[in-house]
Amino acid sequence: GAGVSQSPSNKVTEKGKDVELRCDPISGHTALYWYRQSLGQGLEFLIYFQGNSAPDKSGLPSDRFSAERTGGSVSTLTIQRTQQEDSAVYLCASSLDGTGVGETQYFGPGTRLLVL
Amino acid sequence: SQKIEQNSEALNIQEGKTATLTCNYTNYSPAYLQWYRQDPGRGPVFLLLIRENEKEKRKERLKVTFDTTLKQSLFHITASQPADSATYLCAPLSNTGKLIFGQGTTLQVKP
C-alpha cells in the first residue's frame, strides 16, 4: 500500500513490560513524527525525525520512551517498563520534504496500547 | 505557553445545514494553520491549509477562515451530509516549526 502503516494495530501488555511499536512511512518521505492520543484528547507530539536523526525529542514524556529510525525509513518507538498511564493510541505520520516544517502530514492508523 | 482551544462539546446539526467549528489559539502567531479530519479508529487526514496572509480558503464544500487579529480560525462545511460526521482537528504551526494539534471537535450530522 502507499500509505503509512503501523504495527501492531493493538497491543495489550502488563505493567512493567517493554513494548515496541513500528511505523513504516510513505516511501520517499524524509520526515517522520510520533504522536500520542489519549481518549478524548488531542494529539501529543512525542518526537520528530529528519532522515535518521531526531532533531526534536522534546515531547518524549520520560526516559522510558525512546525511538529510532533506520535507513531513513522504518521507525520504532520503544516504551520500557510500561505504566498504566502509557495506555493510549500511538500515531505515526510522515511528510515529504526535507524541511519537515509544518508540512502536510500523512498519518497511519495508529497502535492502540493498553497497559494492564 | 502556546495553546489551542477547540470546542470540546460535540456539534450536532441537521443534514443540509452549515456546520461551523471554531479554533482559537493564544500566545503566538502561527504562519499557517491546517485542518484535519479524524474518523473513529483511524489516523487524522489532511483537509486544508491556510496561511496567515490568506483570509479565506475554499475546497468544495469546505471553507476555512483565518483571523490573525482575533487569533481564530473557523471551519465551515456547507450542505452538510451524514458522511461529514467525524472529529475535526485544527493544527496551527508552532514557533518551533511543528504543528500543535487541538483536541478536536466532534461533528454529528443527522439525516
Side-chain angles (χ1 to χ4, degrees), chain A residues 33 35 37 40-43 45 56 58 91 100-110 112, chain B residues 32 34 36 38 40-46 49 89 93 96-104:
Chain A
Y33 311 79
Y35 295 89
Q37 187 173 35
Q41 301 297 310
L43 274 68
F45 169 82
D56 191 344
S58 61
L91 289 159
V101 175
E103 298 172 290
T104 300
Q105 297 182 17
Y106 297 85
F107 283 83
R112 282 145 198 81
Chain B
Y32 57 83
Q34 299 184 9
Y36 287 75
Q38 187 173 25
R42 312 286 289 270
V45 174
F46 171 78
L49 178 152
L89 307 170
L93 183 69
T96 57
K98 53 179 183 274
L99 295 177
I100 301 179
F101 285 84
Q103 67 192 58

Side-chain angles (χ1 to χ4, degrees), chain A residues 37-114:
Chain A
Q37 187 173 35
S38 301
L39 191 63
Q41 301 297 310
L43 274 68
E44 175 189 2
F45 169 82
L46 298 178
I47 188 169
Y48 153 61
F49 284 93
Q50 183 60 35
N52 290 336
S53 63
D56 191 344
K57 305 179 184 179
S58 61
L60 294 177
S62 76
D63 59 8
R64 296 186 295 105
F65 287 72
S66 63
E68 64 175 13
R69 189 178 184 194
T70 55
S73 181
V74 172
S75 177
T76 303
L77 176 69
T78 301
I79 309 173
Q80 296 178 310
R81 305 180 302 281
T82 52
Q83 304 293 312
Q84 289 180 332
E85 60 263 27
D86 299 334
S87 297
V89 176
Y90 290 82
L91 289 159
C92 172
S94 69
S95 64
L96 176 63
D97 193 82
T99 66
V101 175
E103 298 172 290
T104 300
Q105 297 182 17
Y106 297 85
F107 283 83
T111 293
R112 282 145 198 81
L113 174 65
L114 177 61

Side-chain angles (χ1 to χ4, degrees), chain B residues 1-63:
Chain B
S1 63
Q2 299 166 19
K3 195 174 175 184
I4 314 300
E5 287 184 2
Q6 292 187 257
N7 194 339
S8 58
E9 290 184 14
L11 178 63
N12 295 296
I13 64 168
Q14 206 65 37
E15 182 177 9
K17 300 290 186 184
T18 296
T20 299
L21 287 68
T22 304
C23 174
N24 295 300
Y25 55 91
T26 53
N27 298 328
Y28 73 119
S29 298
Y32 57 83
L33 184 150
Q34 299 184 9
W35 282 89
Y36 287 75
R37 168 181 173 145
Q38 187 173 25
D39 290 281
R42 312 286 289 270
V45 174
F46 171 78
L47 295 175
L48 280 168
L49 178 152
I50 186 165
R51 301 181 190 281
E52 61 181 339
N53 60 351
E54 298 174 315
K55 296 284 189 198
E56 182 180 296
K57 199 78 167 282
R58 291 177 185 261
K59 179 182 175 182
E60 297 173 353
R61 294 184 295 109
L62 308 181
K63 184 178 85 171

Side-chain angles (χ1 to χ4, degrees), chain B residues 49 74 78 105:
Chain B
L49 178 152
L74 298 179
T78 58
T105 298

